[in-house]
Amino acid sequence: MAYPPYLQAGDRVVLFDGVCKLCNGWSRFLIRHDRAGKLKLCSVQSPQGQAILAWFGMPLDHFDTLLYVEGDRALKRSDAILAILRQLPAPWRWATVLGVIPRSVRDWAYDPIARNRYRLFGRHDHCQMPRPEDRERFLHD
């Protein structure tokens, strides 16, 4: 099986918008609650993020959803959120019960937040650098 660039067997990567304040908050949440270190993080603006997006044929100049990559498959929107929550311990994992809701309804709720995230939560002028103590949680060369 071929893997996206920078990924190896068993890697689970969350790609997020590095200038979005909501997305940065989500990455800090994952670092805090994924104590087992199952998930790696990667900004879509980084060279690694750009290479992974290109591998999946996704746009490189705008990004309106987070992406969860495991092996050679990528999930986006509410499917990505559920896959990520599945990796976390209880009580966060319990939220995957929302998977019984049809994807179209889940994405209907997800899309307006993603589309308006800068207006609702703000944006940074540039990609935030990971804290030194969190660097190992981010995908790198």
Side-chain angles (χ1 to χ4, degrees):
M1 169 179 1
Y3 296 105
Y6 303 100
L7 271 67
Q8 301 174 13
D11 282 347
R12 297 175 183 101
V13 180
V14 177
L15 274 78
F16 66 96
D17 182 346
V19 297
C20 169
K21 288 186 177 183
L22 173 64
C23 303
N24 275 277
W26 174 244
S27 69
R28 286 190 304 276
F29 171 87
L30 293 176
I31 289 169
R32 189 169 52 252
H33 295 289
D34 175 27
R35 290 182 213 99
K38 294 179 182 180
L39 301 168
K40 291 186 178 186
L41 300 165
C42 182
S43 163
V44 294
Q45 289 90 352
S46 70
Q48 297 83 359
Q50 289 284 294
I52 294 168
L53 290 175
W55 197 85
F56 284 109
M58 298 195 66
L60 303 178
D61 57 347
H62 72 280
F63 201 67
D64 58 3
T65 181
L66 70 99
L67 197 68
Y68 172 77
V69 178
E70 186 172 347
D72 64 346
R73 81 182 185 141
L75 299 173
K76 52 188 177 175
R77 300 163 76 191
S78 65
D79 284 342
I81 298 285
L82 291 173
I84 293 164
L85 290 171
R86 242 178 243 109
Q87 306 302 317
L88 299 178
W92 309 110
R93 182 180 307 157
W94 299 339
T96 60
V97 71
L98 296 172
V100 300
I101 299 171
R103 178 187 300 138
S104 60
V105 175
R106 287 185 278 124
D107 287 346
W108 174 83
Y110 177 94
D111 289 343
I113 296 168
R115 193 172 40 251
N116 296 296
R117 68 190 184 278
Y118 296 145
R119 188 169 50 81
L120 294 171
F121 300 98
R123 72 180 281 158
H124 298 287
D125 292 330
H126 50 82
C127 252
Q128 300 296 292
M129 297 298 293
R131 298 179 315 178
E133 62 268 25
D134 298 330
R135 282 221 168 98
E136 74 279 354
R137 300 298 302 275
F138 284 78
L139 196 60
H140 52 79
D141 293 337

